[in-house]
Amino acid sequence: MGRQKKKRSSKNLRITTRISLATIFGIVIPVVIVFIFSSIFLTSITKYFNFSAVSTTSYSMLNQIQWSQTVSSLSKELISNESRAEKINKIDSYVTPLEALGIKLYIDCDGELFYSTEEKDVVMREAQEILTNDFSRNINYFSENGMLIVTHANSGSESYLLLIESKNYTVHDVSDSQLPQSFSSLVFSKTGLIILLIALVFIASTTVLSIITSRTISKPIKKLADGANEIARGNLNHTIDYDSTNEIGQTVSAFNAMSKRLKHSIEEKNRIEQSRKEMIAGVAHDLRTPLTSAKGYVEGLLDGIANTPEKQERYLKTIYSSTIAMERMLDDLLTISRLELGSIELNKKTVELCEVLDDCAEELSLELEKNGFDFIYENKAEPPVYVELDIDRFMRVIHNIIANSVKYTKKEEKGRIELTVTGYQKSVILSISDNGIGIEPENLSRIFEPMYRADRARTKVTDGSGIGLAVCKQIIELHNGQIWANGAVGEGLTVYISLNKTTATDREGTNG
């Protein structure tokens, strides 16, 4: 099953992307708002100032724009696809307000009368009085003599002449008091307000985007800072709750991972320290037992209690066995210390494992039979099986495991130990099983710790140092192998050793 992809989310955006988007939105959003505002403003101001309808016979910029809108509307109507009657009806609606202001209008189509507010001759005569011309070109004329507008509109095969004139028209002097009422004054008197509104839109939108962007960045950074403070105060269980794939999210993930590793490291350090304390206490306890025994028998000899050769010999043997136990314990302790410090180098060479184990099995069989144990050896690996071994160190591993099985046998049942070899493509696995007292499953991994014993009373000092399996673990790991155990209370224990295979070529090179 493939790895599930994280759901896309805005909070996963990279910081550079956030800043880029904030910059783009900071430009685009105000422009869009200003565009919408301008459209609404122009529409409303057009209606407010009535751009499309002439409202005066006095010249101003507003009046000029009104005439431009009116002429444009009339021209569009003339060249439309509507019928003549519909056109005349709509032109009436435009012209009626103009007639009230004393303005005259004449329209012809291809030289023939189409619409007129007065007799053609009257309109033409007054137009010539305002400005002498032949009406062949477009004219926009505003003066003290009057106002004259001439325009032409063409639609397919039809050509229209539109003439508008008014002799009742005035153009004020620039110093006239009416000038402030012009379009320029009416519109630009509100320019300050418009500019202010635009500036406010830019400021507001930029501020909002800045706040949103800063919060999306500062909020997780604050969480990160708070998490660091919690860790500094010793709260190693604290986890920063921020799930994102951006730079901050990656930093938070790395921080959480670091916190977990730190917690694990401290717990491991405490565990090792506790284990060392237990080992020191265990060694002191275990050394004290044979030492006390030896001391007692020496005092017995000195006090003359052992007054016969038989007693003296028995005392001396006991003292000797106690000394051997202490020597073995110190030797194991020195070995595990040197292994942990890495001061022991293995003398490895490529060997045929089955040959080594065959010889070892014969020796173990004789030794175990003397102690009343059944020994079963089964080789399921197809020879040859080449591995790199320090034979002496490896034999010590086998003997330590066997000794541990002997130590924890059941008193009411005859001991049995099985050594099985199984070959695989790249490795070989040895299993050493017994029918002893077994161990709780949760303590299986601890049997390879120094001084750990299933027998917590530590009364069987002469049976072992409690460091044997820890030595086995170190030696096997130096062989690049693995060691582990399986078992249950009352069902015995099985120790597994996995070694990597090598090739015959390697063996020839090593031995050569």
Side-chain angles (χ1 to χ4, degrees):
M1 187 175 181
R3 184 179 178 181
Q4 188 176 1
K5 292 184 178 180
K6 276 195 171 184
K7 186 178 180 180
R8 297 179 67 88
S9 173
S10 59
K11 70 178 180 181
N12 291 331
L13 292 176
R14 301 174 67 87
I15 293 176
T16 52
T17 306
R18 291 173 187 269
I19 296 173
S20 300
L21 289 175
T23 303
I24 294 171
F25 286 142
I27 297 172
V28 172
I29 292 177
V31 169
V32 171
I33 293 175
V34 169
F35 176 77
I36 295 172
F37 172 78
S38 300
S39 300
I40 296 172
F41 173 77
L42 289 174
T43 302
S44 60
I45 203 170
T46 300
K47 294 179 181 179
Y48 178 76
F49 290 113
N50 198 10
F51 285 177
S52 61
V54 176
S55 58
T56 179
T57 57
S58 178
Y59 178 79
S60 67
M61 185 179 291
L62 174 61
N63 180 253
Q64 188 173 357
I65 293 175
Q66 289 174 340
W67 273 117
S68 177
Q69 290 288 329
T70 298
V71 172
S72 176
S73 298
L74 288 170
S75 298
K76 288 180 180 179
E77 185 59 38
L78 289 172
I79 62 175
S80 68
N81 295 324
E82 295 178 344
S83 65
R84 180 186 181 96
E86 288 175 333
K87 291 180 181 180
I88 292 175
N89 184 47
K90 288 189 177 180
I91 290 172
D92 273 334
S93 64
Y94 285 108
V95 173
T96 300
L98 299 178
E99 286 184 299
L101 296 173
I103 297 169
K104 299 182 177 78
L105 181 142
Y106 170 78
I107 303 173
D108 72 27
C109 178
D110 296 328
E112 295 182 358
L113 177 64
F114 184 82
Y115 184 92
S116 181
T117 58
E118 292 280 350
E119 292 293 331
K120 177 181 178 181
D121 294 339
V122 174
V123 177
M124 291 296 181
R125 178 173 50 80
E126 289 185 358
Q128 291 291 346
E129 291 175 355
I130 296 171
L131 179 66
T132 303
N133 66 92
D134 59 1
F135 309 120
S136 61
R137 57 189 179 87
N138 293 338
I139 298 172
N140 284 282
Y141 182 74
F142 302 89
S143 72
E144 294 180 353
N145 298 330
M147 179 272 297
L148 176 64
I149 297 175
V150 178
T151 189
H152 296 80
N154 297 309
S155 174
S157 60
E158 297 178 332
S159 179
Y160 293 92
L161 168 65
L162 172 63
L163 187 151
I164 302 173
E165 59 90 6
S166 175
K167 296 192 72 176
N168 183 26
Y169 197 83
T170 55
V171 178
H172 299 284
D173 189 79
V174 292
S175 61
D176 197 288
S177 60
Q178 296 294 324
L179 187 60
Q181 299 301 319
S182 68
F183 173 76
S184 178
S185 298
L186 290 171
V187 173
F188 288 101
S189 63
K190 301 182 183 296
T191 301
L193 177 60
I194 296 171
I195 294 175
L196 177 61
L197 289 174
I198 293 174
L200 289 175
V201 169
F202 270 98
I203 292 171
S205 59
T206 303
T207 302
V208 170
L209 287 171
S210 299
I211 291 173
I212 293 173
T213 303
S214 64
R215 286 192 66 185
T216 59
I217 296 175
S218 62
K219 188 175 179 180
I221 290 178
K222 185 178 184 302
K223 285 187 175 183
L224 189 59
D226 292 341
N229 291 332
E230 286 292 326
I231 298 299
R233 285 195 288 266
N235 183 11
L236 299 180
N237 293 318
H238 181 77
T239 301
I240 301 174
D241 183 19
Y242 183 75
D243 185 17
S244 175
T245 58
N246 63 17
E247 297 92 334
I248 298 178
Q250 292 171 4
T251 303
V252 169
S253 297
F255 187 89
N256 286 334
M258 179 192 69
S259 175
K260 290 180 181 178
R261 286 195 298 271
L262 179 60
K263 179 183 177 183
H264 176 74
S265 177
I266 292 175
E267 289 176 347
E268 183 65 15
K269 179 181 178 182
N270 292 337
R271 188 192 66 78
I272 293 173
E273 184 64 25
Q274 182 63 28
S275 177
R276 290 191 181 277
K277 289 179 180 179
E278 291 178 359
M279 184 177 72
I280 292 172
V283 169
H285 180 278
D286 288 355
L287 282 175
R288 184 179 182 84
T289 301
L291 186 60
T292 301
S293 176
K295 179 183 176 183
Y297 282 102
V298 168
E299 289 175 348
L301 288 172
L302 292 175
D303 292 341
I305 297 174
N307 50 15
T308 64
E310 292 79 9
K311 277 189 177 183
Q312 290 175 358
E313 182 180 1
R314 183 162 53 86
Y315 275 37
L316 289 173
K317 285 183 178 180
T318 303
I319 294 170
Y320 179 76
S321 63
S322 296
T323 305
I324 292 297
M326 287 188 290
E327 183 183 28
R328 185 167 58 247
M329 187 182 306
L330 291 173
D331 182 57
D332 284 344
L333 188 61
L334 178 61
T335 301
I336 192 67
S337 298
R338 291 176 63 190
L339 285 168
E340 288 180 347
L341 292 172
S343 59
I344 290 182
E345 293 185 3
L346 299 182
N347 181 26
K348 293 192 292 185
K349 60 182 179 180
T350 303
V351 299
E352 208 289 306
L353 183 62
C354 294
E355 294 177 359
V356 174
L357 292 177
D358 289 344
D359 294 339
C360 177
E362 290 183 12
E363 179 185 343
L364 290 173
S365 179
L366 293 173
E367 183 179 341
L368 289 172
E369 283 179 6
K370 290 179 182 180
N371 290 285
F373 277 76
D374 290 334
F375 178 71
I376 301 170
Y377 170 61
E378 186 176 7
N379 187 354
K380 298 180 180 179
E382 183 177 349
V385 177
Y386 295 108
V387 294
E388 286 192 357
L389 284 183
D390 181 329
I391 296 178
D392 292 337
R393 302 285 184 187
F394 184 71
M395 287 299 101
R396 179 169 185 176
V397 170
I398 300 296
H399 283 287
N400 282 359
I401 296 173
I402 296 292
N404 186 75
S405 294
V406 171
K407 180 169 58 174
Y408 292 109
T409 186
K410 296 176 183 177
K411 294 180 179 180
E412 68 281 1
E413 186 176 343
K414 185 177 182 180
R416 186 185 73 255
I417 295 176
E418 297 180 13
L419 171 60
T420 305
V421 185
T422 306
Y424 296 91
Q425 184 177 359
K426 295 183 178 181
S427 65
V428 59
I429 295 180
L430 286 70
S431 65
I432 303 174
S433 303
D434 62 51
N435 61 341
I437 62 175
I439 190 173
E440 297 86 354
E442 61 270 18
N443 292 326
L444 282 171
S445 60
R446 296 202 61 198
I447 65 175
F448 298 103
E449 296 177 5
M451 300 308 298
Y452 178 80
R453 287 176 172 174
D455 178 14
R456 304 306 296 170
R458 301 184 182 274
T459 56
K460 299 183 179 180
V461 179
T462 56
D463 291 339
S465 64
I467 308 175
L469 291 183
V471 172
C472 295
K473 181 175 186 294
Q474 295 285 344
I475 292 175
I476 293 301
E477 288 180 352
L478 284 176
H479 281 84
N480 298 319
Q482 294 180 332
I483 185 169
W484 68 98
N486 191 16
V489 176
E491 297 181 8
L493 182 73
T494 301
V495 178
Y496 297 92
I497 299 173
S498 175
L499 297 172
N500 296 324
K501 285 184 178 180
T502 185
T503 61
T505 305
D506 295 332
R507 184 187 188 193
E508 292 171 2
T510 303
N511 294 335

